[in-house]
Amino acid sequence: GQNIDQPTEMTATEGAIVQINCTYQTSGFNGLFWYQQHAGEAPTFLSYNVLDGLEEKGRFSSFLSRSKGYSYLLLKELQMKDSASYLCAVSSGGSYIPTFGRGTSLIVHP
Amino acid sequence: GAVVSQHPSWVICKSGTSVKIECRSLDFQATTMFWYRQFPKQSLMLMATSNEGSKATYEQGVEKDKFLINHASLTLSTLTVTSAHPEDSSFYICSAIDTGEGTYEQYFGPGTRLTVT
C-alpha cells in the first residue's frame, strides 16, 4: 500500500511564499501529482513530477526527491484566491491511478 | 484541456431510493473513467474504475451491488447508488484520463453532492 502524509492546515499572508510538504512511502513509484481543490469543487491539476528536481510553472513550483520520498509545492506571491485544499497524490506499481493524500487546507489572509 | 461533466451537480433523495449520477467526457473519448467519493475534510477515495464495454473494477470495501457502474460508451459512465442511506451522503467525483495526451493527467468532473435524508 501507500502512505502519504501532508500537513492538515497552513496559513499564510497575501503576497508571501508558502511551501506545502508531502512525504510518501510506496513501492514501484511512478510519479507524484499536486492538485488544487476549492471547497465544493473538483480538483484541478497543478503538476506532475516523475524525476528529481524542481519544476516551475508560473507562481507555482513543485519539487521531488525520489530517494527521500519527499515533495513540496511552492506557492509564490500568494493571492486570496489561493485559499484552497492542496492534494498530493502518488501513482505507483505500474498504475497511473494515483492515491490521494488527505490534502492541506491553505488559508491566505490579508 | 479536456472537459468532464457530471450531472446532477447536487441531489437530495430519501433513504431507500436510488440515485443515478452521469459522467461525460465532452471533447475526448475515455475508455476508462474513475469514480471517487469524498467526505468533508477527507481525501478523495477511489471507489471503482469504470471500463468501457466491460465490468467495473471495485476497490476493496466498496459494495459493487450497491454502487452500480455502467460504462456504455466511450464518453459516458454512470454511477447508481442503490437503496441509498444517510451514510451514503457524500461528494461523488468522476474523472477520466485523456490517454491521447500521454501525460496521464486526470480530468475531474465538477462533482455531485448527494444528500440522503
Side-chain angles (χ1 to χ4, degrees), chain A residues 37 42 96-98 100-102, chain B residues 34 38 42-43 97 105-106 109:
Chain A
Q37 184 179 26
Y96 50 80
I97 307 171
F100 286 82
R102 284 177 167 265
Chain B
F34 307 94
Q38 187 178 36
Q42 299 292 316
S43 183
I97 295 177
E105 174 184 341
Q106 285 197 69

Side-chain angles (χ1 to χ4, degrees), chain A residues 9 33 35 37 39-45 48 87 96-103, chain B residues 32 34 36 38 41-44 46 49 91 93 97 103-106 108-110 113:
Chain A
E9 187 174 293
F33 298 82
Y35 283 85
Q37 184 179 26
E41 299 180 10
T44 55
F45 173 84
Y48 178 52
L87 307 173
Y96 50 80
I97 307 171
T99 298
F100 286 82
R102 284 177 167 265
Chain B
T32 304
F34 307 94
Y36 291 86
Q38 187 178 36
K41 297 191 177 183
Q42 299 292 316
S43 183
L44 290 168
L46 181 66
T49 301
F91 193 47
I93 307 174
I97 295 177
T103 62
Y104 297 108
E105 174 184 341
Q106 285 197 69
F108 288 88
R113 175 79 56 192

Side-chain angles (χ1 to χ4, degrees), chain B residues 2-13:
Chain B
V3 179
V4 175
S5 70
Q6 266 183 256
H7 178 80
S9 55
W10 60 270
V11 57
I12 301 173
C13 70

